[in-house]
Amino acid sequence: MSLPAAPPRLTRLELHGFKSFAGRTVFAFESGITAVIGPNGSGKSNISDAVRWALGEQSHGALRSKRTEDVIFAGGSGRAPSGMAEVAVTFDNTSGWLPIAFSEVTVTRRAYRTGENQYLINGKRVRLREVAHLTASLGQSHTVVGQGLVDAALSQRAEERRGLFEHAADLTGLRLKAAEAERNLAETETNSARLMDLLTELEPRLKTLERAARQAREWKGVQDRLHALQRGHYGRLLRVALGHLTTVSEVAAAGTAALNRGREEVDRLVAAVQVARVAAEDTRAVLAQQDARLQAVLDQVRRIGHERDLAGERYAALTRRREDMAYTQTGLDEQVAAVTAELTGLAGNLAAVEADAVTARATV
C-alpha cells in the first residue's frame, strides 16, 4: 500500500506594495517552525493577509479592508503611494500534491488602483478559477487562523462554522468540482430538454420528411441518370470539339510556320534596309563631297571666266595702246629725224664756232 504524498511546503513569500510593505520584502520559510515577532501594529497580520490574498481570497472582510485600493500601500514617512500591490507565494511541490507538473509552484497576484486584478502561476497569466482549483487542496495542510478566529468559530452558527471545517478538512476542492459537475449536469439537462422539444416538434413532420426523403431519393436517381446522359452528350461534344481543335491546331501550326517564315523574311528585309540605309548614307556623303568639289570647280570656272574677260579687256586696251604707241612712234621718228638734221646743222655751226674760237684764242 503506497503512502499518501506529502503536502506542499510554503518556502517563500514575496511582497511589494502590499499594505505596509512599500518596498520589496522577501520571507524565506526554512524547514521547521518560522515565527514572525514584533510589536502591535508592526504588520504581522499583513503577512497572513498577503498569503490569503495571493491564494485568491475575495472577501474584503477577511483581509481587513473595504475595497481593492486598501491593500495597496497608501504612502507615508516621505514615501509616495504605490500604484500596484503584488504578492508571490512559492510552494515546494516535489511530492506532486498540487495538480500541476512543476516541482516548485509560484502563485502571484497583482492589484492596481483601477481595481484590476491579475493572477499568475509560474509567471503565466491565468484566471482566478484556475488559482482556486490549484490551491483547493491546500485546505487541510494550510489553514490561516487570524485574530479572533477561534472566538468567531465558537460563536458562529452551525452553517457558518461548517464552511470553516470544510476548508480545514480539504473539502473546498471537492465542493468546487461538485459545483462544476452540477453546472455541467444542469447544462446537460437543459440540452436534453431542448432535444426532447425538438423531437416533439419534429415527430409530426416525420411522414412529410419520409415522403420528402423518398422524393429526394427519386430525384437523386433522376439526377444520376441526367448526369450520365449529360456525360455522354458532353463526351460526344468533347470529341467533336477535340477534332475541331486538332484541325485548328494544324492550321494554327501552319499559320505559325508561315508567320515564322514571314518574320524571318521581314528580319532579312529589315537587315537589307539597314544595309541600304548605311549605303545611302555613304552615297549621300560622297554626293556631298562631289557637290562640294563641283561647287569649287564652278567657282573656279567663274573666276577663270572673269579673269579671261579681264584679260580680253586688257588685250583690247593693250592693242589700242600699241596702235597709239605706233602712231606716237611715227611722230617721234619724224621728230628724231628733224632733231638729227638740226644736230647736224648745229654740229657744223659748232665746228665753225670752234674754229673761230681757236682763231680768237690764237689772236689772243
Side-chain angles (χ1 to χ4, degrees):
M1 181 177 180
S2 60
L3 297 175
R9 185 174 61 84
L10 179 62
T11 60
R12 181 185 177 91
L13 176 64
E14 186 173 348
L15 304 92
H16 185 201
F18 182 82
K19 289 193 174 183
S20 59
F21 296 93
R24 187 172 296 277
T25 305
V26 179
F27 293 92
F29 299 95
E30 304 295 340
S31 300
I33 299 175
T34 301
V36 179
I37 303 173
N40 292 336
S42 61
K44 300 185 298 298
S45 300
N46 292 340
I47 299 175
S48 60
D49 292 343
V51 175
R52 283 176 176 270
W53 185 72
L55 297 181
E57 181 63 58
Q58 299 298 310
S59 174
H60 292 294
L63 299 174
R64 300 177 298 131
S65 61
K66 295 182 179 180
R67 56 185 184 274
T68 302
E69 294 183 5
D70 293 340
V71 301
I72 303 175
F73 178 69
S77 301
R79 303 196 63 169
S82 299
M84 176 192 71
E86 178 179 315
V87 176
V89 181
T90 303
F91 295 97
D92 182 4
N93 191 39
T94 53
S95 62
W97 177 285
L98 296 176
I100 190 171
F102 291 97
S103 60
E104 186 177 73
V105 180
T106 300
V107 180
T108 306
R109 182 176 179 179
R110 296 172 184 163
Y112 299 89
R113 292 193 178 275
T114 57
E116 179 186 1
N117 281 266
Q118 294 180 359
Y119 299 90
L120 300 93
I121 297 178
N122 287 356
K124 181 180 178 181
R125 287 282 298 273
V126 295
R127 296 175 297 178
L128 175 60
R129 178 181 176 183
E130 299 177 30
V131 175
H133 279 290
L134 177 67
T135 60
S137 59
L138 296 176
Q140 184 179 5
S141 303
H142 294 78
T143 302
V144 178
V145 180
Q147 296 177 0
L149 181 58
V150 176
D151 295 337
L154 295 175
S155 61
Q156 282 178 346
R157 292 178 301 176
E159 294 80 4
E160 297 174 349
R161 194 181 301 114
R162 179 181 178 182
L164 178 63
F165 291 155
E166 288 179 352
H167 179 72
D170 195 17
L171 296 179
T172 306
L174 297 177
R175 284 198 171 277
L176 290 174
K177 293 179 181 180
E180 185 175 1
E182 289 177 357
R183 286 194 300 271
N184 293 335
L185 181 60
E187 292 178 1
T188 303
E189 291 178 352
T190 303
N191 293 333
S192 299
R194 178 59 180 163
L195 289 175
M196 292 300 297
D197 294 339
L198 291 176
L199 289 175
T200 303
E201 181 181 355
L202 294 177
E203 188 174 1
R205 301 169 54 189
L206 183 59
K207 294 182 179 180
T208 304
L209 293 175
E210 289 178 353
R211 185 170 59 256
R214 185 174 60 255
Q215 292 176 353
R217 287 192 295 270
E218 294 175 357
W219 177 85
K220 184 67 169 58
V222 174
Q223 188 74 8
D224 294 340
R225 177 60 178 167
L226 176 61
H227 287 169
L229 294 175
Q230 287 178 342
R231 281 195 295 270
H233 176 66
Y234 291 140
R236 289 191 298 272
L237 294 179
L238 180 61
R239 287 191 292 273
V240 173
L242 289 176
H244 291 167
L245 179 61
T246 303
T247 304
V248 172
S249 298
E250 293 175 355
V251 174
T256 302
L259 178 62
N260 292 332
R261 290 193 298 272
R263 286 178 177 174
E264 293 175 357
E265 183 66 19
V266 168
D267 294 338
R268 186 184 64 78
L269 293 176
V270 169
V273 167
Q274 188 66 25
V275 173
R277 286 178 178 175
V278 173
E281 292 294 333
D282 296 339
T283 304
R284 289 192 185 95
V286 172
L287 288 176
Q289 294 177 358
Q290 294 297 331
D291 290 340
R293 293 178 59 184
L294 178 61
Q295 189 63 34
V297 171
L298 292 176
D299 294 340
Q300 186 176 4
V301 168
R302 285 194 295 270
R303 185 175 62 257
I304 292 174
H306 181 65
E307 291 177 355
R308 184 190 61 187
D309 295 338
L310 291 176
E313 292 178 357
R314 289 178 180 177
Y315 177 76
L318 289 175
T319 301
R320 290 192 299 272
R321 187 175 180 184
R322 185 182 61 182
E323 292 176 355
D324 293 340
M325 290 180 66
Y327 179 74
T328 303
Q329 184 177 6
T330 303
L332 291 174
D333 291 339
E334 293 176 355
Q335 290 180 3
V336 168
V339 170
T340 301
E342 186 176 357
L343 287 174
T344 303
L346 290 174
N349 294 332
L350 179 59
V353 171
E354 288 179 352
D356 291 341
V358 169
T359 301
R361 190 179 293 114
T363 300
V364 172

